[in-house]
Amino acid sequence: VKTMKNIFYNHTRAACIVGLALMLFSCGLISTEIIYRQNRDADFSSAPPAASAKNSILSTVVGELEGLIGDILVLKADVYFHGMSSYTQYLNRHSDCHLDHDHEHHQHEHEDGFNHFLYNKYRKICPTEHVHLDDDKEILPWLAASMRLNPHNIRAYIISSYWVGQRLKKWDQAEKIFHEGIRYNPKTWQLYYELGKLYAIKEEYQSALVQYNNALKVFPEKMSEEDAFDCANLWRSVGGSHEKLGDYINAVAAYQKVVKLNPCEKSLEKLQKLVHKKETTINNQ
Amino acid sequence: MSAAIVAIGNTLIKELLRRKEVFLMLFLALAILIGAASLSFFNVDGIEKYLREISMNITMLFTVLITIGLTARQIPLEIERKTLYPILTKPCSRWQFLLGKYFGVIAAAIISLIFFHASCLLVFFFKGIKPGFVYVEAVILQICGLGLLAAMALFLSTILSSPAAVVGIGLLAYFFFKWFGANIELLIDRSSGALGTIVPLIYTIIPHFEFFDLSQKVIFSSMYAPVGILDMLFFVGYAMVYSTFFLSVSWLIFRKKQL
């Protein structure tokens, strides 16, 4: 006790060092959290690591940190979408149920959660129920900032264009988002694919096909099981666009690739037969 | 309240206004708020929650900095400059001196809060944002939180001899305790063995600054109900009890301190 007293009374430098050590410890905790969250979002890990492509003053000053902040802002948008509810904490702990927003899992939260009278009080000011934002557009500022800070964050482009295009029906803005993303990430197939899907929603199938073909051009040659699944989805979209344009031959060819890449899809075989049937009918006429 | 406490408290308010730090921070906050308010996102109108969040965070951060900075300077500098001796030779006991400093810091913190919230409300008014009743609750809890922080900083300034150390360790403790309290479920989930027993114990002991941050409810005021009167009373009571504890310990140290 006497030594501690001496340190705090007379050695303020030592106290500062302790403070600095604690600060480093906190930084370590925060960085571990970021890495954990990034691993959780591994479905988009094909994108390059966070790094700014812009030669802005900010990127010169803060370097790679700018990209990292950009990545965090995407997570911020997700937290916003859940009304900043600490339900997102639960998702961090049980990342396996993130995508389906499983309500059954959520019920376990209160059963298994930390039961402490102080924390129960804290829940009154920081609700834990699973809620979704009443006004979707509110997440846009964080996504816009994320894209600006880390132009290689593919997830930010895809989520932004979804909200701006499909939810707010601002198709031109959604298209702009993708074009900006492609400018910074010309070898990322997801952006071409999503842009193609956007054109398909707008019923501009010819433009959609151009983008799907661009996606196929940059699609990785060595495919994992997951890549094969993605590629099958891409070919299915190609088939769909050809079908809508009345080009049944190319549609069938595309669907055949889907079945080849993902043999489990029985429904596609049926669709293939249907397309054949249609083609025969047209030829007979 | 004795005249000595009021007189000591008054000097702090004068110090706050004389040093101009608060005005510099206010100018900075206004610049950030006006800049943020003028932004446009994908030509979509009516986005406001980000502005609420920036306002709440700026207000919180700047008032925390002002409070801790102001508190940290009091006792160590009074001792260093030897200005404490003439005060204590007057009819002013050490506990009155300590209380005077504490209430002075709280008054200064409230004045700063009024400045910052007035700026936020001005920006809200021009953007057509309605803050709602929960905003009032948030301000009340912010005052309580700053009171607790001031008590903690005063306690630190009785054991540390330099204002820089008080500011450094005080800020670190504030942000760490806040983070720890808000993320306790995550921490408990990841701690095993002896750590699993220690973490809840630490949670019970540490001051909970996260209780005084109603940002979530202010930002999403349309989604969440305001905090009830009973819960508000609990949080106010918690701040008072913990502040009293810090002040009592500070007094116990300060009354026997060799000056």
Side-chain angles (χ1 to χ4, degrees):
Chain A
V1 173
K2 203 176 176 183
T3 316
M4 288 294 286
K5 205 176 166 185
N6 274 339
I7 288 170
F8 281 109
Y9 257 99
N10 307 320
H11 304 282
T12 42
R13 276 184 197 170
C16 288
I17 290 166
V18 172
L20 195 67
L22 281 171
M23 200 180 280
L24 285 172
F25 171 70
S26 311
C27 289
L29 280 178
I30 293 164
S31 64
T32 312
E33 184 64 27
I34 291 164
I35 291 163
Y36 169 77
R37 286 179 186 218
Q38 280 183 336
N39 289 341
R40 195 189 74 186
D41 301 326
D43 52 331
F44 287 92
S45 60
S46 58
S52 177
K54 290 182 180 178
N55 294 319
S56 65
I57 295 170
L58 190 67
S59 64
T60 312
V61 175
V62 297
E64 293 296 305
L65 189 64
E66 190 187 8
L68 196 63
I69 296 166
D71 291 346
I72 293 168
L73 288 177
V74 177
L75 300 169
K76 174 85 182 167
D78 185 44
V79 171
Y80 242 60
F81 181 66
H82 288 99
M84 265 169 92
S85 159
S86 47
Y87 176 68
T88 46
Q89 275 187 26
Y90 173 71
L91 294 177
N92 289 336
R93 289 186 290 134
H94 304 271
S95 54
D96 52 317
C97 68
H98 180 226
L99 294 173
D100 56 359
H101 289 98
D102 198 330
H103 284 264
E104 273 181 41
H105 280 80
H106 176 56
Q107 281 171 2
H108 289 289
E109 183 188 9
H110 292 296
E111 290 162 21
D112 307 335
F114 181 49
N115 196 12
H116 190 286
F117 79 101
L118 286 174
Y119 194 68
N120 291 340
K121 280 286 173 197
Y122 178 60
R123 281 196 180 109
K124 305 266 180 167
I125 55 165
C126 188
T128 50
E129 67 256 36
H130 183 192
V131 289
H132 282 178
L133 203 59
D134 52 355
D135 201 355
D136 301 338
K137 65 189 176 201
E138 296 290 352
I139 65 167
L140 294 177
W142 308 109
L143 294 171
S146 170
M147 288 190 300
R148 194 172 168 78
L149 292 171
N150 183 10
H152 297 306
N153 194 332
I154 309 305
R155 193 182 172 89
Y157 292 107
I158 294 172
I159 299 171
S160 304
S161 60
Y162 169 77
W163 290 104
V164 174
Q166 295 189 41
R167 299 295 283 252
L168 298 168
K169 308 291 175 205
K170 291 196 176 268
W171 301 107
D172 293 345
Q173 287 293 327
E175 211 178 310
K176 267 187 194 172
I177 293 168
F178 278 128
H179 284 301
E180 197 189 325
I182 289 167
R183 190 156 63 94
Y184 288 114
N185 310 278
K187 292 191 174 175
T188 307
W189 67 271
Q190 286 102 327
L191 291 171
Y192 295 107
Y193 175 47
E194 294 294 332
L195 181 57
K197 275 169 42 179
L198 187 103
Y199 283 131
I201 293 168
K202 288 167 73 183
E203 299 185 350
E204 293 173 20
Y205 298 110
Q206 207 64 56
S207 304
L209 277 173
V210 171
Q211 297 306 327
Y212 292 146
N213 285 328
N214 285 338
L216 286 167
K217 275 180 205 164
V218 294
F219 204 89
E221 283 177 14
K222 284 182 184 175
M223 276 191 265
S224 63
E225 201 176 321
E226 202 178 326
D227 289 336
F229 181 77
D230 289 334
C231 197
N233 282 341
L234 184 49
W235 276 109
R236 192 193 294 111
S237 300
V238 173
S241 289
H242 278 304
E243 200 182 349
K244 290 282 182 186
L245 288 168
D247 184 357
Y248 295 115
I249 298 167
N250 279 326
V252 169
Y255 286 135
Q256 277 171 340
K257 287 196 174 153
V258 176
V259 177
K260 195 179 164 188
L261 285 161
N262 189 8
C264 305
E265 291 215 29
K266 302 258 176 175
S267 59
L268 284 170
E269 285 176 38
K270 281 181 193 170
L271 192 61
Q272 193 183 355
K273 280 175 193 168
L274 187 78
V275 174
H276 264 302
K277 200 177 170 184
K278 270 188 180 177
E279 200 181 14
T280 319
T281 317
I282 291 163
N283 286 339
N284 288 343
Q285 281 174 352
Chain B
M1 201 182 290
S2 75
I5 294 173
V6 177
I8 292 167
N10 273 337
T11 56
L12 261 99
I13 298 168
K14 282 177 190 162
E15 190 187 334
L16 174 84
L17 302 173
R18 184 175 50 83
R19 289 181 72 95
K20 310 280 187 292
E21 283 163 356
V22 66
F23 299 111
L24 182 75
M25 286 186 184
L26 195 66
F27 175 74
L28 200 65
L30 261 174
I32 295 169
L33 281 174
I34 293 168
S38 61
L39 291 174
S40 167
F41 306 99
F42 311 112
N43 288 343
V44 178
D45 298 322
I47 300 175
E48 62 172 55
K49 286 187 170 49
Y50 79 101
L51 203 58
R52 283 170 183 257
E53 176 157 12
I54 291 171
S55 313
M56 289 304 290
N57 286 342
I58 282 180
T59 309
M60 183 65 89
L61 181 70
F62 284 163
T63 48
V64 161
L65 289 177
I66 288 169
T67 306
I68 211 158
L70 198 64
T71 318
R73 276 197 299 267
Q74 299 313 312
I75 296 173
L77 283 190
E78 294 268 17
I79 294 171
E80 196 186 308
R81 290 174 187 164
K82 299 185 175 25
T83 47
L84 184 70
Y85 307 114
I87 298 170
L88 293 180
T89 49
K90 287 173 185 175
C92 172
S93 61
R94 288 194 182 195
W95 71 266
Q96 282 175 323
F97 175 78
L98 216 59
L99 268 188
K101 291 286 181 194
Y102 179 67
F103 286 124
V105 168
I106 288 183
I110 292 172
I111 291 169
S112 323
L113 260 184
I114 291 169
F115 283 155
F116 283 107
H117 280 298
S119 318
C120 295
L121 290 172
L122 195 73
V123 175
F124 283 7
F125 175 74
F126 284 112
K127 285 286 280 184
I129 301 170
K130 289 171 186 164
F133 176 69
V134 74
Y135 198 88
V136 180
E137 290 184 329
V139 175
I140 293 169
L141 287 189
Q142 262 183 336
I143 293 169
C144 295
L146 291 175
L148 177 56
L149 179 69
M152 188 180 79
L154 210 61
F155 160 70
L156 286 174
S157 67
T158 56
I159 55 169
L160 298 170
S161 55
S162 131
V166 176
V167 171
I169 293 176
L171 280 178
L172 199 73
Y174 172 79
F175 288 112
F176 179 75
F177 290 154
K178 203 173 166 185
W179 173 84
F180 188 91
N183 291 283
I184 187 68
E185 278 208 308
L186 203 67
L187 291 166
I188 287 206
D189 205 60
R190 291 184 196 174
S191 47
S192 55
L195 212 60
T197 323
I198 295 165
V199 170
L201 196 69
I202 296 170
Y203 181 80
T204 313
I205 297 165
I206 60 167
H208 291 282
F209 291 105
E210 76 276 9
F211 285 174
F212 310 101
D213 184 2
L214 269 188
S215 304
Q216 184 189 342
K217 291 219 171 197
V218 171
I219 299 163
F220 299 94
S221 56
S222 54
M223 290 164 69
Y224 301 121
V227 183
I229 185 83
L230 285 175
D231 292 318
M232 280 293 286
L233 285 173
F234 172 81
F235 294 127
V236 173
Y238 178 86
M240 286 170 79
V241 169
Y242 224 117
S243 301
T244 311
F245 166 74
F246 271 131
L247 288 174
S248 307
V249 177
S250 307
W251 176 69
L252 287 173
I253 296 168
F254 189 62
R255 77 185 176 134
K256 286 186 177 176
K257 194 167 183 167
Q258 296 279 326
L259 299 172

